[in-house]
Amino acid sequence: MELGIDAQPAPFSFETTRSALIMIDMQRDFLLPGGFGEALGNDVSQLAGCIAPARQLLDWARSVRMSIVHTKEAHAPDLSDCPPAKLQRGAPGKRIGDAGPMGRILIDGETGSDFVPELAPLAGERVLRKPGKGAFYATDLGEWLARRNVDTLIFAGVTTEVCVQTTMREANDRGYNCLLVEEATASYFPHFKQTTLDMVRAQGGIVGWTASLAALTGAGETLLAKGRA
Ligand code: TIU
């Protein structure tokens, strides 16, 4: 299904069969108290507002049968994929691998590393564990997308200026058309979110496009209603 939507800095067109939703790191470790985000000194309540829009976006992507990738930033239990420089971030006793109320902080398989229930993946959706901020670093994401002939990536998740922006920049350099859904992403620092949206779409879309959730889901609904899906 070919869609054209209102977006900034210009209208955005894409083919849903050649697109993937990249839902970035909607994990308890970032969104709930007691996880990695809070251990770094952040007010995690700042992220709560993006959960419902992210779920609406996910439901829309499911309805148009788009490829869906849920990334999670998490390390192996033996920390073999965590560089020493990253391990030293945060207060002693609250670092990656340390025990917390949701299990070991940012360790794959622990409660904290799992997705918030609203954004739980369904069977058939890709779960991609990543050791870095960018989803292309040390993962098979590029090969996975190439096998599906994907040329467009629709982004949501947390945090806007860290893992979302890093992954968008990686994707932009790899030749993907990138769209960030404004309500479905959040930062611990609201002004960082706003600045990231501005940075992405500045200079004619130097990193990509941004659009409202309504622009995206409304376009799909219109065409689905006309039976053109
Ligand atoms: N700290 C922060 O804003 N983010 C991260 O550490 N990871 C992600 O953005 N997922």
Side-chain angles (χ1 to χ4, degrees):
M1 171 167 71
E2 180 81 25
L3 292 181
I5 65 166
D6 285 335
Q8 291 191 56
F12 186 76
S13 298
F14 59 103
E15 170 56 52
T16 55
T17 58
R18 299 197 62 191
S19 303
L21 172 65
I22 311 292
M23 185 63 72
I24 301 276
D25 300 358
M26 292 297 280
Q27 301 161 251
R28 295 184 175 100
D29 256 321
F30 295 106
L31 289 145
L32 300 182
F36 184 57
E38 191 176 74
L40 294 175
N42 295 305
D43 170 11
V44 297
S45 71
Q46 294 288 342
L47 305 188
C50 80
I51 295 177
R55 175 57 190 263
Q56 289 172 40
L57 174 62
L58 188 56
D59 288 343
W60 171 81
R62 287 166 175 161
S63 76
V64 299
R65 291 185 283 282
M66 187 178 289
S67 294
I68 295 170
V69 179
H70 303 260
T71 73
K72 57 161 141 172
E73 183 181 349
H75 291 279
D78 66 1
L79 298 173
S80 56
D81 57 4
C82 186
K86 186 176 182 184
L87 209 46
Q88 287 155 15
R89 307 294 168 84
K94 290 186 172 182
R95 292 179 175 166
I96 297 169
D98 289 341
M102 295 189 289
R104 294 177 67 204
I105 293 172
L106 215 63
I107 298 298
D108 195 33
E110 302 285 347
T111 302
S113 76
D114 203 357
F115 302 99
V116 294
E118 297 90 334
L119 280 302
L122 294 182
E125 298 172 359
R126 179 77 203 276
V127 174
L128 183 86
R129 180 166 79 87
K130 62 185 179 67
K133 306 304 182 194
F136 287 86
Y137 168 69
T139 73
D140 69 351
L141 180 58
E143 293 84 353
W144 192 89
L145 294 170
R147 281 200 297 278
R148 284 158 183 76
N149 232 3
V150 168
D151 63 11
T152 297
L153 301 179
I154 296 175
F155 285 94
V158 297
T159 60
T160 317
E161 80 281 12
V162 183
C163 291
V164 175
Q165 183 175 207
T166 300
T167 305
M168 279 190 82
R169 289 176 179 274
E170 288 181 325
N172 186 49
D173 280 349
R174 285 165 172 77
Y176 295 95
N177 290 313
C178 297
L179 177 80
L180 177 55
V181 182
E182 294 155 6
E183 300 90 339
T185 184
S187 169
Y188 300 120
F189 308 92
H191 60 291
F192 285 174
K193 169 179 170 175
Q194 187 56 47
T195 301
T196 301
L197 295 177
D198 292 341
M199 287 165 63
V200 161
R201 61 198 178 200
Q203 304 183 60
I206 192 79
V207 176
W209 286 254
T210 77
S212 70
L213 179 65
L216 190 59
T217 59
E221 278 163 14
T222 303
L223 289 189
L224 285 168
K226 287 181 186 164
R228 289 177 54 191

